[in-house]
Amino acid sequence: MNHRSEGSLLIRGGHLIDPSSGVDAPMDVLLRDGRVEEIALPNQIHGSADERFNAKGLIVAPGFIDLHVHLREPGQSYKETIASGTAAAAAGGFTSVCCMPNTHPVVDSAEWVTWLLQPDRGALVNVFPIAAASQASQGAALTDFRGLQRAGAVAVTDDGKPILSDAMMRDTLRVASGTARHENFG
């Protein structure tokens, strides 16, 4: 992931929407070394900046998170790669994406989760893998939820392929609940 690591930027004249702080108003924002240093009413920033950006008529907001993306890797890089998909996300204001496991092969192992997160995949934003709940997303046998979580998966789903067995769904929910309760998964 690329981070602004040096310098400062003053974003002036934009309309800041930040739900975490309850701000929905015209504000100026000063960033230093990629982090918010100061937020103030228009023309009230105390610090100086190396660069300025005129955001008049624009919305300024924390980075968006897309909870359901299909990055198509592994296996379908002719459609999209992690690098191209995350570049599109970044261009749209997204700083993080959660990628679905319905790839070829299905992301149903810790090895595939680890593969998705390798720096040489070229991700430009945070990638949070969502792994398959069942092996090959076939709904017959559960994947190793704890192993997937340790590798970096943030959740499980068979995305687009429902688990049709009541017993299998009960097992899925039981194991996911135990994993979430003990290791902050899900």
Side-chain angles (χ1 to χ4, degrees):
M1 181 173 155
N2 294 339
H3 290 283
R4 182 179 188 85
S5 59
E6 296 181 15
S8 56
L9 172 66
L10 177 58
I11 303 171
R12 297 187 65 192
H15 188 98
L16 178 63
I17 298 176
D18 182 5
S20 69
S21 63
V23 175
D24 184 354
M27 299 291 253
D28 291 344
V29 179
L30 176 62
L31 304 174
R32 187 164 319 280
D33 297 329
R35 301 185 77 69
V36 174
E37 182 172 284
E38 187 178 352
I39 297 172
L41 292 170
N43 303 311
Q44 299 297 312
I45 293 282
H46 293 100
S48 62
D50 301 328
E51 297 178 56
R52 295 175 185 269
F53 178 80
N54 182 355
K56 184 176 180 179
L58 301 176
I59 300 292
V60 178
F64 300 119
I65 300 172
D66 191 331
L67 297 175
H68 189 119
V69 301
H70 296 272
L71 294 177
R72 303 301 178 201
E73 280 191 312
Q76 296 176 323
S77 58
Y78 61 93
K79 290 183 177 180
E80 181 172 64
T81 64
I82 292 168
S84 68
T86 58
F94 290 85
T95 58
S96 302
V97 297
C98 298
C99 59
M100 295 295 112
N102 61 338
T103 53
H104 299 287
V106 171
V107 177
D108 63 358
S109 68
E111 292 77 18
W112 279 121
V113 171
T114 299
W115 183 89
L116 286 170
L117 295 172
Q118 291 176 351
D120 59 344
R121 300 279 79 78
L124 296 181
V125 300
N126 298 310
V127 173
F128 296 114
I130 297 179
S134 67
Q135 294 174 12
S137 291
Q138 295 299 309
L142 290 181
T143 55
D144 175 9
F145 289 14
R146 290 189 201 284
L148 293 166
Q149 179 194 31
R150 282 191 293 275
V154 298
V156 293
T157 181
D158 278 349
D159 187 46
K161 293 186 175 183
I163 296 174
L164 298 175
S165 159
D166 290 346
M168 181 67 170
M169 181 53 82
R170 259 191 305 282
D171 287 346
T172 300
L173 295 172
R174 180 183 48 76
V175 173
S177 173
T179 305
R181 197 171 36 247
H182 298 295
E183 298 186 33
N184 298 320
F185 182 69

